[in-house]
Amino acid sequence: MKEELAFSAPWQPMLKGISLAAALLLAALAVGSVRSGNAWMALLIVSIPLGAVPFAIRGYILSPDEIFVRRPGWNKRIPLDGLQSVEVDPRALRCAIRTCGNGGLFSFTGWFWSKRLRTFRAFATDCNRAVVLRFPRRTIVVTPGDPARFAAEIKRLRNL
């Protein structure tokens, strides 16, 4: 049986605030659209948060060969083949520019760019808990509840 370790993905206050504000704004816009007789617009507006919910991050499962990013109803698999380094870096997402993805509606996910990391993919809920995973051709940032333990376990499992 393969060893698997579960890690939480706590939401930082900023993510909670962005998610709440966006949900309230979108709800108000949907209600306004219904009241003005534009039901199609209300449906379109409601589809935004409903479309983001499946991509929320609920946690991470670590095994010797892969990381699973837990999402509602499904898991995103990240193979660890070729992993070169693991580093806890609470500043990894600072000054990062989102090039494609979600900037705070239930998670910070997608593709980003920064001067320090260059192009990278993030699966984040608390930017201050960042762990940077470097591969030959890609960089991934995750934000487990216990970044130091997460990094130590990957190093142990992968003999890094």
Side-chain angles (χ1 to χ4, degrees), residues 55-91:
F55 297 96
I57 297 170
R58 299 178 45 228
Y60 307 92
I61 298 171
L62 176 60
S63 78
D65 302 322
E66 57 209 355
I67 297 169
F68 289 100
V69 179
R70 294 183 62 230
R71 295 197 158 144
W74 66 292
N75 294 326
K76 164 66 178 159
R77 180 180 172 267
I78 301 172
L80 294 175
D81 296 338
L83 179 65
Q84 295 176 324
S85 69
V86 179
E87 173 190 6
V88 176
D89 184 358
R91 297 181 43 199

Side-chain angles (χ1 to χ4, degrees), residues 42-157:
L43 206 56
L44 180 64
I45 292 167
V46 168
S47 72
I48 295 169
L50 293 178
V53 166
F55 297 96
I57 297 170
R58 299 178 45 228
Y60 307 92
I61 298 171
L62 176 60
S63 78
D65 302 322
E66 57 209 355
I67 297 169
F68 289 100
V69 179
R70 294 183 62 230
R71 295 197 158 144
W74 66 292
N75 294 326
K76 164 66 178 159
R77 180 180 172 267
I78 301 172
L80 294 175
D81 296 338
L83 179 65
Q84 295 176 324
S85 69
V86 179
E87 173 190 6
V88 176
D89 184 358
R91 297 181 43 199
L93 290 164
R94 288 198 184 127
C95 300
I97 298 167
R98 179 174 28 101
T99 57
C100 180
N102 179 354
L105 191 55
F106 314 127
S107 66
F108 303 107
T109 53
W111 289 265
F112 293 77
W113 183 91
S114 74
K115 197 172 190 177
R116 287 179 55 222
L117 297 179
R118 300 303 202 207
T119 300
F120 65 95
R121 187 138 186 220
F123 299 92
T125 57
D126 184 343
C127 298
N128 298 315
R129 299 174 191 258
V131 175
V132 179
L133 308 167
R134 292 188 188 268
F135 298 84
R137 300 182 148 243
R138 64 189 170 129
T139 300
I140 296 175
V141 175
V142 295
T143 59
D146 187 343
R149 183 172 157 253
F150 186 88
E153 291 293 349
I154 286 181
K155 289 175 183 178
R156 179 183 67 80
L157 291 168

Side-chain angles (χ1 to χ4, degrees), residues 19 38 153 159:
S19 297
N38 196 343
E153 291 293 349
N159 296 315

